[in-house]
């Protein structure tokens, strides 16, 4: 996605979030938390771009357009981590490789409120893997869980699915699935 497409996605996501929390308290009986898309952090995005092994260009471009996405009230929650958090986790090799149903080096950039993480394959930047809670030893995630699968063929498709999930949640209160 180019910068114009990412800016459009960011603004569409902000509108969908605003709609999702519009009558949240009436539906659920408590006020929503802070559901937002934060502004980009140029220094953190530059740090992410400098990480080695190289972070895929699509992810670097994403963090040039956003700081983070925090959606604690959409379904069981969904989060695109900050560029600083992604860089730190990748450099410290917290979770850098997946194996079992799939085998790839990854950079984890997102999670949900249920413990599932999302990792972008390296070095090509595709696909995006869904990593349900399972064993991580020495930075290597190992799972035969059938939910450990491709969440999207690439980052732009993943972002579009996230936007559609927020819109679906806003329209029907159904828990989105990515």
């Amino acid at each position: 996605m180019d910068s114009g497409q990412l800016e459009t996605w960011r603004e569409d996501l902000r509108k969908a979030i605003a709609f999702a929390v519009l009558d949240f308290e009436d539906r659920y009986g408590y006020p929503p938390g802070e559901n937002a898309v934060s502004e980009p952090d140029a220094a953190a995005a530059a740090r992410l771009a400098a990480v080695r092994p190289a972070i895929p260009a699509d992810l670097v471009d994403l963090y040039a357009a956003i700081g983070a996405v925090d959606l604690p009230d959409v379904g069981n929650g969904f989060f695109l981590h900050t560029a600083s958090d992604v860089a730190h986790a990748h450099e410290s090799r917290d979770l850098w490789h997946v194996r079992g149903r799939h085998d790839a080096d990854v950079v984890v950039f997102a999670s949900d409120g249920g413990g599932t993480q999302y990792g972008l394959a390296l070095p090509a930047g595709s696909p995006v893997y869904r990593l349900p809670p399972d064993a991580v030893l020495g930075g290597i995630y190992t799972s035969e869980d059938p939910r450990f699968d491709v969440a999207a063929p690439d980052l732009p498709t993943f972002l579009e699915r996230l936007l559609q999930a927020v819109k679906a949640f806003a329209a029907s209160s159904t828990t989105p699935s990515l």
Side-chain angles (χ1 to χ4, degrees), residues 31-72:
E34 182 70 26
N35 293 270
V37 179
S38 62
E39 291 299 316
D41 177 337
R47 178 174 176 235
L48 182 65
V51 169
R52 295 291 175 247
I55 299 295
D58 281 351
L59 199 57
V60 172
D61 293 345
L62 173 65
Y63 285 107
I66 68 156
V69 174
D70 293 304
L71 304 172

Side-chain angles (χ1 to χ4, degrees), residues 76-79 81 108 110-118 129-133 141 147 178:
N76 68 341
F78 191 82
F79 311 91
H81 308 161
V108 174
S111 60
D112 70 16
T116 296
Q117 298 183 80
Y118 296 87
Y129 293 105
R130 178 185 311 103
L131 312 172
Y141 171 92
R147 296 173 299 162
L178 290 176

